[in-house]
């Protein structure tokens, strides 16, 4: 099927072959501004020097954890736009999401921004999904600037998905710690910085895991499915990238990705890492590592973006992984459907 469209740069033709899930952008957008804000536990972790703002506690002056999360997301988007040297009214669309029911933190955060808004729910894959869709909008000629925002809050997510933190329920070693934080990113048709060149849209993968504590093992097959499809679609072998990053599989999920790729005949141990393994120190007792929308969000907008700007990284593949269960599906004994989306980000 051939799809034709117009951009400001002229007429382009996109050839989409049957069975392919990847998009090669004719006009790769620039990542021109990023910002992040984190809670105190993240601020004591491995990447503390790469965060723009570290809060003293997880609630601030706000009456609830959920309102604190809304504040963080609003702050991160505004700060990313300011770092881009833009005004909010120059942003054509905002694409954003969080983990909570009806995207409540995101919706309240968007009230004061006054821009066209598309809410996204990809669980922890939301950053990659937002970058992918934002790039599609810009490459298609439907705007000049797009802002992408994600947030998560440990206490708010625990209360919704597991147990109130006041109960002090013991967490199993396979579980992960939801990141308290938010991240904002600005994509632009013009400017300077790394560019999003290719994106691969994931499929739902569900191998029947029902334990909501085992998100890493549940999501790992989806990450492998998307990575393998990306390789088949683009012809890019893993060595093409300086690094391949998944979003929040944690230590257990990371090992499974390596194992499953080895079964396909590819060894990615030399240039593969998981954002969920990069945030906390071992002594912080986060079990298998980090999770949440903000896991890949704060790693990308902080550490990875600066490495791309400095030339320490030239080409990365960022894969956001999402566990798409809900409290209702868990109570109804459903298994956990998972997804992964990938974006290739390359420095000029």
């Amino acid at each position: 099927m051939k799809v034709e469209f117009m951009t400001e740069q002229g007429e382009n033709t996109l050839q989409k072959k049957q069975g392919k899930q990847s998009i090669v952008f004719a006009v790769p957008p620039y990542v021109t501004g990023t910002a992040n804000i984190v809670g105190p536990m993240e601020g004591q972790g491995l990447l503390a020097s790469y965060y723009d703002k570290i809060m003293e506690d997880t609630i601030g002056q706000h009456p609830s954890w959920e309102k604190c999360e809304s504040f963080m997301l609003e702050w991160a988007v505004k700060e990313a736009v300011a770092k881009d040297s833009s005004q909010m009214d120059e942003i054509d669309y905002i694409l954003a999401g969080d983990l909570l029911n009806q995207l409540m933190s995101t919706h309240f955060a968007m009230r004061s921004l006054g821009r066209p808004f598309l809410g996204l729910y990809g669980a922890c894959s939301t950053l990659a999904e937002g970058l992918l869709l934002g790039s599609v909008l810009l490459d298609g000629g439907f705007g000049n600037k797009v802002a992408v925002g994600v947030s998560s809050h440990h206490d708010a997510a625990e209360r919704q998905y597991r147990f109130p933190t006041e109960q002090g329920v013991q967490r199993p070693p396979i579980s992960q710690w939801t990141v308290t934080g938010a991240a904002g990113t600005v994509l632009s048709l013009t400017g300077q910085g790394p560019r999003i060149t290719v994106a691969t849209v994931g499929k739902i993968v569900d191998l029947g895991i029902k334990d909501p504590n085992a998100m890493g093992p549940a999501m790992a097959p989806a990450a492998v499915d998307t990575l393998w499809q990306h390789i088949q679609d683009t012809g890019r072998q893993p060595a093409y990238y300086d690094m391949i990053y998944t979003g929040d599989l944690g230590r257990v999920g990371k090992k499974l990705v390596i194992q499953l790729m080895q079964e396909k005949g590819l060894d990615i141990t030399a240039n593969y890492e998981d954002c969920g393994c990069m945030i906390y120190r071992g002594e912080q007792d986060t079990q298998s590592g980090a999770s949440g929308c903000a896991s890949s969000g704060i790693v990308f907008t902080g550490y990875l973006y600066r490495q791309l700007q400095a030339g320490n990284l030239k080409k990365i593949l960022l894969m956001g992984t999402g566990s798409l269960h809900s409290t209702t599906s868990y109570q109804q004994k459903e298994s956990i459907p998972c997804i992964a989306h990938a974006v290739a980000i390359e420095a000029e």
Side-chain angles (χ1 to χ4, degrees):
M1 180 180 68
K2 182 180 290 186
V3 181
E4 295 187 352
F5 56 88
M6 295 292 293
T7 71
E8 291 183 358
Q9 284 70 28
E11 185 173 356
N12 295 282
T13 301
L14 175 67
Q15 183 74 33
K16 181 173 175 60
K17 297 181 179 179
Q18 184 177 3
K20 286 199 172 185
Q21 297 168 218
S22 298
I23 303 164
V24 179
F25 295 113
V27 187
Y30 295 92
V31 182
T32 53
T34 69
N36 53 56
I37 177 174
V38 300
M41 189 162 176
E42 293 69 27
Q44 297 167 8
L46 297 168
L47 301 179
S49 62
Y50 293 94
Y51 303 138
D52 295 309
K53 184 178 179 63
I54 300 173
M55 298 188 298
E56 294 183 358
D57 54 42
T58 59
I59 199 165
Q61 303 299 315
H62 307 281
S64 69
W65 294 319
E66 291 79 9
K67 289 188 176 182
C68 179
E69 184 176 346
S70 289
F71 157 77
M72 290 191 300
L73 181 55
E74 181 180 350
W75 187 94
V77 171
K78 286 181 176 178
E79 186 68 11
V81 172
K83 284 190 177 184
D84 182 54
S85 299
S86 297
Q87 301 297 318
M88 190 60 68
D89 60 8
E90 297 179 74
I91 301 298
D92 296 296
Y93 309 98
I94 299 176
L95 288 71
D98 61 76
L99 292 175
L100 301 183
N101 290 335
Q102 289 78 48
L103 300 181
M104 63 174 293
S105 294
T106 301
H107 292 157
F108 289 124
M110 295 299 112
R111 288 186 298 188
S112 68
L113 300 185
R115 302 308 302 148
F117 161 67
L118 294 168
L120 304 178
Y121 188 82
C124 307
S125 70
T126 300
L127 175 70
E129 182 181 1
L131 295 175
L132 186 160
L133 292 172
S135 298
V136 168
L137 286 169
L138 295 180
D139 186 46
F142 302 108
N144 295 307
K145 287 182 185 289
V146 169
V148 178
V150 294
S151 67
S152 54
H153 193 294
H154 176 264
D155 298 319
E158 288 294 304
R159 177 159 60 190
Q160 175 173 298
Y161 286 103
R162 298 180 184 91
F163 302 95
T165 57
E166 295 89 345
Q167 283 189 269
V169 174
Q170 186 172 357
R171 296 156 58 251
I174 201 172
S175 69
Q176 294 166 250
W177 188 274
T178 304
V179 169
T180 297
T185 302
V186 175
L187 306 180
S188 179
L189 282 180
T190 59
Q192 294 182 333
R195 308 182 81 173
I196 298 178
T197 57
V198 181
T200 302
V201 181
K203 303 191 300 286
I204 293 290
V205 177
D206 185 346
L207 297 190
I209 292 176
K210 296 185 177 182
D211 182 359
N213 288 302
M215 291 190 300
M219 293 186 291
V224 170
D225 184 81
T226 296
L227 177 56
W228 183 252
Q229 188 68 46
H230 180 83
I231 293 168
Q232 303 310 305
D233 288 354
T234 65
R236 296 178 173 185
Q237 294 300 305
Y240 175 87
Y241 296 102
D242 297 327
M243 288 296 295
I244 298 169
Y245 294 95
T246 45
D248 66 332
L249 300 180
R251 286 184 286 275
V252 178
K254 175 187 172 182
K255 290 179 182 178
L256 285 172
V257 167
I258 292 172
Q259 178 183 333
L260 291 170
M261 289 303 295
Q262 287 174 337
E263 292 177 1
K264 292 180 176 293
L266 292 175
D267 186 353
I268 62 172
T269 54
N271 64 331
Y272 166 58
E273 186 55 271
D274 180 70
C275 296
C277 298
M278 300 170 64
I279 295 172
Y280 300 116
R281 301 181 187 275
E283 62 270 22
Q284 289 185 279
D285 191 28
T286 58
Q287 310 298 61
S288 183
S291 66
C293 295
S295 176
S296 59
I298 63 174
V299 173
F300 172 67
T301 58
Y303 176 75
L304 297 182
Y305 185 63
R306 294 189 196 180
Q307 296 305 306
L308 288 162
Q309 284 184 309
N312 298 325
L313 292 172
K314 299 288 188 181
K315 302 173 183 177
I316 67 170
L317 185 69
L318 180 65
M319 290 196 296
T321 44
S323 173
L324 303 177
H325 68 289
S326 71
T327 54
T328 301
S329 68
Y330 170 69
Q331 291 166 358
Q332 294 177 353
K333 312 294 185 187
E334 262 286 6
S335 55
I336 302 174
C338 297
I339 199 161
H341 304 295
V343 286
I345 306 169
E346 305 184 44
E348 290 188 284

